[in-house]
Amino acid sequence: AQSVTQLGSHVSVSEGALVLLRCNYSSSVPPYLFWYVQYPNQGLQLLLKYTSAATLVKGINGFEAEFKKSETSFHLTKPSAHMSDAAEYFCAVSDPGGYQKVTFGIGTKLQVIP
Amino acid sequence: DAGVTQSPTHLIKTRGQQVTLRCSPKSGHDTVSWYQQALGQGPQFIFQYYEEEERQRGNFPDRFSGHQFPNYSSELNVNALLLGDSALYLCASSFRTGSPDTQYFGPGTRLTVL
């Protein structure tokens, strides 16, 4: 069974500081990995995805993530936090041979302090 | 182009009642997946419909059932509601042959069971 673990349910950063949200995965096969963002009272928006191509993945809004097989990690980063980045972020995994079932982590709520 | 739409936006029911939630997929999509997101949790996969049949199911009891119509829209039915069914219910649509990154999420239906 596939799973993801997000370290830190709440993360606070100052505006302009580095954002680092941690995600480790468990999968018996090379996975597809995703980061989604959810703003209050809204659905999920895909930030970026890893599908076995380049290990450094660039997404929307200046976010990027690096797939590290040796560490089974897929951490999300952004060099400089903006107030508009305050939201909840979900790491997710899917079996590329599966039927598009996506397994989500518990989420990390990002607070940006002015 | 309308994205994924869900109705109603909010719903309040009492224990033991039945509820039906509706989802219209993004134009051109033929597959619909349903997720339950409890407060403070990540979304949990309920099931997926393609060609009007349930193709994959998560760890949810038979009280949760669904349907897909010829126009690809879908319904989620929950019988004998429990307090624990209170959650945000998310619908996601995609192409059947696409990779999971093609999933688009709707804004969700907030169900409250009293």
Side-chain angles (χ1 to χ4, degrees), chain A residues 32 34 36 38 41-46 49 51 88 90 94-96 98-107, chain B residues 31 35 37 40-43 45 48 56 58 88 90 94-103 105-107 110:
Chain A
Y32 285 174
F34 312 88
Y36 286 86
Q38 186 175 37
N41 300 314
Q42 293 189 26
L44 297 167
Q45 181 182 9
L46 181 67
K49 62 187 184 291
T51 57
E88 190 152 23
F90 293 93
S94 176
D95 176 355
Y99 294 90
Q100 305 176 339
K101 171 186 173 182
V102 179
T103 301
F104 288 84
I106 196 170
Chain B
T31 300
Y35 293 80
Q37 186 179 14
Q41 302 293 321
F45 176 78
Q48 181 187 83
Q56 196 172 17
L88 179 69
L90 296 165
S94 57
F95 292 110
R96 177 63 183 91
T97 55
S99 63
D101 62 324
T102 63
Q103 285 200 27
F105 282 82
R110 174 76 62 187

Side-chain angles (χ1 to χ4, degrees), chain A residues 21-97:
Chain A
L21 304 183
R22 300 177 185 273
C23 173
N24 288 89
Y25 70 90
S26 173
S27 178
S28 58
V29 297
Y32 285 174
L33 292 161
F34 312 88
W35 276 98
Y36 286 86
V37 61
Q38 186 175 37
Y39 296 98
N41 300 314
Q42 293 189 26
L44 297 167
Q45 181 182 9
L46 181 67
L47 273 178
L48 50 79
K49 62 187 184 291
Y50 166 77
T51 57
S52 74
T55 56
L56 181 62
V57 180
K58 295 187 184 297
I60 62 172
N61 301 337
F63 285 93
E64 64 180 37
E66 186 172 6
F67 173 72
K68 292 187 176 180
K69 184 178 179 180
S70 61
E71 300 177 7
T72 61
S73 69
F74 191 59
H75 301 332
L76 181 71
T77 61
K78 182 174 180 178
S80 177
H82 295 164
M83 295 299 296
S84 60
D85 295 328
E88 190 152 23
Y89 293 80
F90 293 93
C91 182
V93 63
S94 176
D95 176 355

Side-chain angles (χ1 to χ4, degrees), chain B residues 28-82:
Chain B
H29 285 182
D30 58 6
T31 300
V32 173
S33 302
W34 286 93
Y35 293 80
Q36 179 195 65
Q37 186 179 14
L39 197 61
Q41 302 293 321
Q44 300 285 318
F45 176 78
I46 302 175
F47 43 53
Q48 181 187 83
Y49 276 83
Y50 169 67
E51 290 185 337
E52 303 179 47
E53 290 190 16
E54 183 181 297
R55 298 293 175 172
Q56 196 172 17
R57 189 178 184 92
N59 189 25
F60 279 81
D62 291 345
R63 297 187 299 108
F64 289 78
S65 64
H67 188 77
Q68 186 179 35
F69 299 94
N71 67 353
Y72 308 121
S73 67
S74 177
E75 289 182 347
L76 164 65
N77 300 292
V78 186
N79 294 322
L81 284 168
L82 305 174

